[in-house]
Amino acid sequence: MKSTLLSVALVACLIPASGWAQSKGSSNSQSRLEREVRHELLTLSRYGVFDNLTYQVTGSTVTLAGNVTQPVIKNNAEKAVKSIEGVDKVNNNITVLPVFSADNQIRIATYQAIYGTPSLQRYAMQSIPSIHIIVNNGNVTLEGAVANKGDADIAAIRAKSVPGVFKVTSNLKTDAELAELAH
């Protein structure tokens, strides 16, 4: 069976599920499962900019991964995916980030630093902004999608400027990189 690892943030922003599946040669049932998993994860209550989920569909098994700020998001993701017709098994490898007040302060400050920058404000206008900010023990990881490398660089520079941040890792993908992945 074919297996495709997908990030909810990336797929939600720039790659229509049907286009992704067709370009990768997935079967109709695999393609349908990928679309439904994506939909269920995107519509989770409390899923937002400080969370990042990924999933992999292999036959009738879905493996969930990523980082969330609240245990309820992890539990709800598993329940939502288990309820999809055709899913027989869910491996829930989602990590619940530790609760540190310093990390919460860094999340808010990083959000303000990134989305307060005029050239990046357009990314905040989606129901779930496309730049996800994951903070774990003062380390910031940026996940998601941006239009170009310049925007990715600006987001990383702005995140590095936040007091209390030890390290910034940018996993932001550009439109061009996502288009290449889809082919």
Side-chain angles (χ1 to χ4, degrees):
M1 274 287 156
K2 182 191 148 309
S3 170
T4 305
L5 178 64
L6 301 170
S7 169
V8 175
L10 298 180
V11 175
C13 299
L14 301 172
I15 300 176
S18 60
W20 175 270
Q22 289 169 357
S23 67
K24 292 294 186 183
S26 297
S27 69
N28 286 339
S29 64
Q30 182 89 10
S31 175
R32 179 192 61 80
L33 279 179
E34 288 172 357
R35 281 192 310 272
E36 289 189 36
V37 168
R38 175 181 157 263
H39 172 77
E40 289 298 326
L41 295 178
L42 282 172
T43 58
L44 283 175
S45 173
R46 299 184 182 162
Y47 177 70
V49 70
F50 302 123
D51 307 302
N52 187 58
L53 295 175
T54 62
Y55 61 94
Q56 183 173 3
V57 178
T58 307
S60 61
T61 300
V62 177
T63 301
L64 301 173
N67 298 283
V68 296
T69 55
Q70 301 172 44
V72 69
I73 300 170
K74 176 180 179 170
N75 296 336
N76 288 346
E78 182 174 348
K79 287 178 195 172
V81 171
K82 275 184 179 176
S83 72
I84 298 171
E85 183 180 333
V87 173
D88 293 330
K89 182 179 179 186
V90 176
N91 298 319
N92 192 343
N93 299 329
I94 298 170
T95 300
V96 178
L97 297 166
V99 178
F100 294 121
S101 62
D103 281 355
N104 286 334
Q105 292 170 351
I106 290 170
R107 284 183 188 102
I108 293 165
T110 304
Y111 180 93
Q112 291 170 339
I114 291 173
Y115 290 114
T117 302
S119 63
L120 300 177
Q121 287 176 346
R122 68 183 181 274
Y123 298 111
M125 294 184 188
Q126 303 161 359
S127 59
I128 300 174
S130 65
I131 300 172
H132 288 246
I133 302 162
I134 308 306
V135 180
N136 190 356
N137 295 318
N139 297 302
V140 174
T141 302
L142 302 177
E143 299 280 355
V146 292
N148 55 59
K149 184 170 177 357
D151 287 351
D153 291 344
I154 291 169
I157 289 167
R158 297 298 297 147
K160 288 176 185 174
S161 74
V162 173
V165 171
F166 298 123
K167 177 182 168 189
V168 173
T169 302
S170 178
N171 295 331
L172 295 173
K173 301 288 185 221
T174 66
D175 289 350
E177 291 169 324
L178 291 172
E180 189 175 304
L181 285 173
H183 293 295

